[in-house]
Amino acid sequence: MSPIPLSYDDKFEEINYCSELQKSAINEITKEFEINNKKLNEIIEHFRNEMNKGLTKHGQTVAMVPSYVTGVPTGKEVGTFLALDLGGTNLRVCQINLEGGGKISVKQQKYKISDSHKTGEARHLFDFIAECVDKFLVEFNIDCNSTRRLNLGFTFSFPVEQTAIDKGTLISWTKGFSASGAAGKDVVFLLQESLNRKEVPVKVSALVNDTVGTLLAHAYKYPNTLLGVIFGTGTNGAYFEKISNIKKLQSISSNADHMIINVEWGAFDNEKKVLPLTMFDNKLDRNSINPRLQIFEKTISGMYLGEITRNVLLNLIDRSLLFNGYSSKDLNDHYSFETEYMSSIEKDDTSTLETVKQILEESLNLPSTTLTDRQIVKRICQLVGFRAARLSSAALSAIISHCNVIESGCNIGIDGSLFLFYPGFKERIMNSLKELFGPNADKIELGLALDGSGVGAGN
Ligand code: ADP
Ligand code: MG
């Protein structure tokens, strides 16, 4: 068995096709998911134009949200504070200790957010968050009371129009959230109200996007950091921009040169002008709770990759080219094919694809599968996972080019389970950057910024 293909020069494994029809269908799908360098450059160019639009005017597709964070961490900051990270899948509460010398220690606890909290009333969601903070304080025996309130940095990874370091209104939910009564409201106020209601002695003193937090946390350790990125439930990035380039900012009462911009790149190409979307992407988008929104995110991030794969598999089943034409009740369920499965499937290097077999037959209750079935499923995962990494590299490249650091190089801090766990995700991005930038790509450092989204909230 060949190892995981990491560039288009690496051949995909041979499939033992049963018919010419099957072979031509897979070749067709393979072509649809491939993005050659010409197309990638087109995407990058459009991305750069969209960034410039967002810097010039409010309310653009790529929102380029000013964070009002102008300082760059020196690594010498010290102090203890709480951080709360509302991602798309988990809620994390952390106590963070900046020890100076670029050193950080963290105590943290994760809490799962239920679907009913995601889609019910916002008040219930924020009450649940306040309860988690309360539990955390008790569990870790953290010393605070109503006269000695702790400061909390709130990392909130949804699009927000920020007006001050501790104020920001939610533009819209993403990543499967739809809790009512939050859009257009100040999320710091909503959280503080819930904390007060539950008598939790904590003051929300800063609001940051997870990308901004990731960037700050990585910069605390590596001064050459330009960009903080999330590849998790969703995807987004934040970088240091010259204030003189942020044309839409009327006045800024700081004599700093740079401000962190939260790109909100998940919304890139909502107009569907340049991304090579397949019918499988369009089906996912149509059936999502936010159709026509977050189009770029829907081709890249953890919440969606499994669903794209599922759409391809169902199409092949309907054409009697897979599983003898039979699906299962489980596979018919939306979002039943988890992105985690793709990681395990891509890693399966047994000659009979035993892990693939186990996932299909045990987790998804498909009746017996043939080796050809399993080879096809693996190929589809590779195509979807590969394309996600290629498109991710387009976002990174656009920002590297925009900031003019191709020659000098930079550090990029990345957080999120997709980047952490998906086999070859980093290497595929790196190979793509090499194709785009040649030997200069060696000066780009992609680093894991674990806990970044929490740590940065205190900077
Ligand atoms: P968040 O984005 O909510 O902060 P994470 O960074 O943990 O949270 O990302 C969660 C996403 O990562 C989920 O959408 C999930 O599908 C995906 N994910 C989790 N584990 C894996 C894995 N082993 N392989 C690929 N994707 C994974
Ligand atoms: Mg996160």
Side-chain angles (χ1 to χ4, degrees):
M1 268 312 129
S2 51
I4 298 168
L6 299 174
S7 84
Y8 288 137
D9 294 336
D10 297 337
K11 287 267 172 292
F12 289 111
E13 286 156 43
E14 295 281 331
I15 296 175
N16 309 328
Y17 290 110
C18 304
S19 67
E20 279 303 311
L21 213 56
Q22 198 177 40
K23 183 175 174 180
S24 65
I26 301 302
N27 285 343
E28 193 61 35
I29 293 171
T30 302
K31 258 194 252 138
E32 270 190 273
F33 277 91
E34 272 177 8
I35 301 177
N36 61 30
N37 288 338
K38 181 166 169 277
K39 184 70 195 174
L40 201 60
N41 277 310
E42 252 176 64
I43 297 169
I44 294 168
E45 200 186 312
H46 191 55
F47 200 110
R48 291 188 60 180
N49 287 335
E50 291 294 285
M51 283 174 70
N52 284 325
K53 271 199 214 161
L55 286 172
T56 310
K57 260 178 89 178
H58 290 279
Q60 302 301 295
T61 303
V62 176
M64 306 295 279
V65 183
S67 66
Y68 296 92
V69 177
T70 51
V72 180
T74 60
K76 296 195 183 108
E77 296 83 352
V78 290
T80 300
F81 58 91
L82 287 177
L84 185 71
D85 177 15
L86 181 67
T89 306
N90 294 301
L91 173 75
R92 288 189 304 170
V93 186
C94 318
Q95 186 189 34
I96 287 157
N97 197 1
L98 299 180
E99 298 173 355
K103 271 203 176 141
I104 302 171
S105 65
V106 180
K107 284 178 196 155
Q108 68 152 317
Q109 191 67 264
K110 270 192 189 184
Y111 306 88
K112 181 110 185 133
I113 309 162
S114 68
D115 281 343
S116 62
H117 281 129
K118 287 184 192 173
T119 57
E121 274 179 51
R123 185 190 154 108
H124 294 155
L125 172 66
F126 283 97
D127 280 356
F128 167 74
I129 297 173
E131 280 161 24
C132 291
V133 175
D134 196 30
K135 267 193 240 164
F136 181 84
L137 296 177
V138 173
E139 205 166 313
F140 286 89
N141 211 357
I142 292 167
D143 180 30
C144 61
N145 54 51
S146 51
T147 49
R148 216 179 138 261
R149 294 205 295 176
L150 272 175
N151 281 323
L152 177 142
F154 185 18
T155 303
F156 186 74
S157 42
F158 299 89
V160 159
E161 193 69 59
Q162 194 142 356
T163 48
I165 190 66
D166 60 351
K167 253 192 197 58
T169 48
L170 176 66
I171 299 169
S172 62
W173 288 114
T174 55
K175 299 180 285 192
F177 277 64
S178 62
S180 60
K185 297 241 174 77
D186 176 10
V187 292
V188 172
F189 180 79
L190 293 177
L191 176 59
Q192 191 66 60
E193 264 198 323
S194 288
L195 289 164
N196 296 350
R197 234 183 346 254
K198 305 260 164 198
E199 296 179 2
V200 186
V202 164
K203 180 175 182 334
V204 188
S205 52
L207 175 69
V208 292
N209 187 266
D210 56 346
T211 54
V212 177
T214 300
L215 175 57
L216 286 169
H218 208 66
Y220 187 79
K221 293 187 191 161
Y222 307 99
N224 192 29
T225 303
L226 171 71
L227 172 61
V229 176
I230 304 291
F231 294 123
T233 309
T235 181
N236 188 14
Y239 71 103
F240 291 106
E241 177 61 279
K242 278 198 200 112
I243 291 180
S244 57
N245 284 345
I246 315 173
K247 300 276 181 344
K248 65 182 172 184
L249 273 192
Q250 298 300 331
S251 62
I252 164 98
S253 59
S254 159
N255 43 20
D257 303 329
H258 289 81
M259 182 188 285
I260 297 178
I261 290 284
N262 161 17
V263 180
E264 285 299 340
W265 72 42
F268 170 64
D269 206 25
N270 279 351
E271 299 78 13
K272 303 193 180 185
K273 272 194 192 148
V274 69
L275 291 174
L277 300 170
T278 64
M279 60 191 255
F280 313 108
D281 298 296
N282 287 321
K283 182 177 169 195
L284 176 147
D285 181 36
R286 248 187 298 112
N287 291 329
S288 67
I289 65 169
N290 54 348
R292 292 261 157 187
L293 297 174
Q294 300 297 103
I295 296 300
F296 191 54
E297 176 163 271
K298 283 171 180 160
T299 61
I300 290 180
S301 71
M303 174 159 179
Y304 304 104
L305 295 186
E307 183 67 357
I308 301 171
T309 303
R310 194 183 72 92
N311 284 342
V312 181
L313 301 184
L314 290 179
N315 172 276
L316 289 168
I317 292 169
D318 289 344
R319 295 155 75 192
S320 287
L321 300 173
L322 186 67
F323 308 139
N324 210 13
Y326 285 89
S327 184
S328 68
K329 216 163 160 280
D330 299 76
L331 187 64
N332 286 343
D333 272 350
H334 287 290
Y335 293 90
S336 59
F337 198 96
E338 300 191 6
T339 303
E340 282 98 317
Y341 295 163
M342 298 172 68
S343 286
S344 311
I345 289 171
E346 284 227 44
K347 265 190 266 184
D348 187 353
D349 59 358
T350 61
S351 59
T352 50
L353 297 179
E354 283 310 306
T355 307
V356 185
K357 182 177 161 77
Q358 205 179 357
I359 289 172
L360 295 174
E361 298 182 12
E362 288 168 31
S363 303
L364 291 163
N365 281 313
L366 287 148
S368 63
T369 55
T370 64
L371 180 59
T372 307
D373 286 333
R374 304 198 283 272
Q375 288 172 328
I376 289 175
V377 170
K378 184 170 178 186
R379 168 72 67 87
I380 304 304
C381 291
Q382 290 171 327
L383 294 175
V384 174
F386 207 106
R387 190 188 64 167
R390 288 283 278 177
L391 292 173
S392 301
S393 81
L396 306 192
S397 304
I399 287 165
I400 290 167
S401 304
H402 172 90
C403 296
N404 219 349
V405 296
I406 301 175
E407 301 281 322
S408 57
C410 66
N411 257 287
I412 300 179
I414 308 182
D415 192 4
S417 293
L418 189 70
F419 184 74
L420 185 57
F421 297 121
Y422 201 105
F425 201 80
K426 177 180 173 179
E427 292 75 10
R428 286 170 176 171
I429 292 179
M430 243 2 261
N431 282 333
S432 197
L433 294 176
K434 277 183 197 150
E435 287 172 31
L436 293 163
F437 295 132
N440 278 327
D442 293 336
K443 294 181 230 160
I444 302 165
E445 218 30 82
L446 303 186
L448 186 62
L450 260 197
D451 302 328
S453 1
V455 172
N459 278 280

